[in-house]
Amino acid sequence: MTTQTAAFAASKKSVLLPIIVCAVFGLAIIFVTGHVQAELLHDAAHDVRHATGFPCH
Amino acid sequence: MMSRIFTSALFAGAAAGLIAALLQLYFVQPVLLHAELYETGELVHFGGAAVSAHQDVGGIDHVRDGLSVLFTMLVYTGYALILVAAMALAESRGHEVAGRQGIIWGIAGFFIVHFAPGFTLAPEVPGVAAADVYARQVWWFATVGTAAIAVWLIAFGRNWVSWGIAAVLLLAPHVIGAPEPDTFTGPVPTEIGALFAARAFGVGLAAWVLVGLFAGYFWQREGQRAAQAQTA
């Protein structure tokens, strides 16, 4: 294995954790803003939920 | 890596979200407010005299529209975080990602989260009859999830097996079917409902193209900055 491919393999591993963390964080934002049915959140995000095609009501 | 993803996604999500919010307020909100006149019973369009298609739906409501701007920016920031994470994964596997490619990523994103679920559960105008919201949310997440895997397989798969699996994943949620209402009770004219769905899709596509473009651009620019900082 050359140094370059070794470095590539190492960077591949270190890249996975931040990718997963950011994706989960993004998913959490989508869940809270678009899907949680708590009345306050639902009312505040009502128009956006309809316009963005999330199931509403 | 973490800060590169976060920085790119926050810039892209906030910028695209703000433009999406303005497009929504101009093109979608009047249709939504018009529908609400029927939802509340203020207008009734059948069984009586003909109702004018031109109604005063009110102007800007600062609190309501301000919240819409805020939440649209939040939604697209959430989407941008997932999008940039996927871009990072693709780049780590040797694919170039910049602004131009980002447009394709954005169109794919629109397809995954708007069009795929909307093909069976169309964007709902207020007042339509619909099945239980939790059942629809489960179906929505399942459909978006399978569409995301399918699009990844179409984009990066190298043989007919992966493309075949993608086709099955795309079709399955619609063949199985979404939770639908038992009876139709919607009081809103179909003209308004159809316009609402079309506008919601159109603004969604515009917003996603922008999210993809900005995400790809900032992703590449943040990468260059990080590389320069390392060599400096």
Side-chain angles (χ1 to χ4, degrees):
Chain A
M1 193 187 271
T2 64
T3 10
Q4 211 178 6
T5 50
F8 185 67
S11 75
K12 220 171 159 180
K13 248 182 209 169
S14 66
V15 98
L16 262 184
L17 184 68
I19 285 175
I20 293 168
V21 170
C22 291
V24 167
F25 198 68
L27 204 62
I29 294 177
I30 295 298
F31 187 71
V32 172
T33 53
H35 298 273
V36 171
Q37 287 298 311
E39 200 179 336
L40 193 71
L41 263 176
H42 169 272
D43 291 352
H46 173 268
D47 298 352
V48 178
R49 289 184 179 191
H50 278 282
T52 319
F54 294 132
C56 203
H57 297 294
Chain B
M1 173 61 73
M2 186 84 93
S3 73
R4 186 181 168 197
I5 298 179
F6 263 95
T7 311
S8 319
L10 289 183
F11 277 136
L18 181 61
I19 299 171
L22 297 176
L23 289 171
Q24 248 166 41
L25 287 178
Y26 189 81
F27 289 109
V28 184
Q29 191 70 4
V31 186
L32 185 146
L33 293 173
H34 197 172
E36 283 186 346
L37 295 178
Y38 289 94
E39 184 189 22
T40 55
E42 201 178 320
L43 293 178
V44 180
H45 74 103
F46 48 80
V51 181
S52 168
H54 307 282
Q55 298 287 339
D56 178 14
V57 296
I60 292 172
D61 178 333
H62 292 288
V63 174
R64 181 173 179 172
D65 296 343
L67 281 169
S68 289
V69 172
L70 176 73
F71 273 90
T72 308
M73 289 175 76
L74 276 170
V75 166
Y76 280 99
T77 302
Y79 279 147
L81 277 164
I82 300 168
L83 184 70
V84 177
M87 286 175 167
L89 185 64
E91 198 188 71
S92 76
R93 297 169 64 129
H95 301 283
E96 192 200 345
V97 180
R100 283 168 69 85
Q101 291 87 341
I103 294 174
I104 308 277
W105 282 80
I107 294 170
F110 164 77
F111 177 80
I112 292 165
V113 305
H114 286 237
F115 195 77
F119 182 67
T120 292
L121 281 185
E124 295 163 26
V125 76
V128 296
D132 175 57
V133 65
Y134 294 107
R136 282 182 292 137
Q137 285 178 335
V138 168
W139 188 89
W140 188 92
F141 274 105
T143 305
V144 169
T146 49
I149 297 168
V151 166
W152 188 274
L153 287 173
I154 291 168
F156 300 114
R158 279 153 202 231
N159 53 48
W160 288 102
V161 176
S162 48
W163 295 326
I165 294 170
V168 171
L169 287 175
L170 285 176
L171 290 170
H174 306 285
V175 173
I176 293 166
E180 301 281 1
D182 294 327
T183 54
F184 293 136
T185 57
V188 181
T190 55
E191 293 87 340
I192 294 178
L195 181 63
F196 184 85
R199 288 269 166 103
F201 274 149
V203 170
L205 177 58
W208 265 99
V209 166
L210 292 171
V211 174
L213 173 67
F214 294 153
Y217 169 77
F218 286 118
W219 171 250
Q220 195 194 41
R221 205 193 62 162
E222 289 301 303
Q224 282 168 351
R225 261 168 41 130
Q228 274 166 6
Q230 260 180 2
T231 52

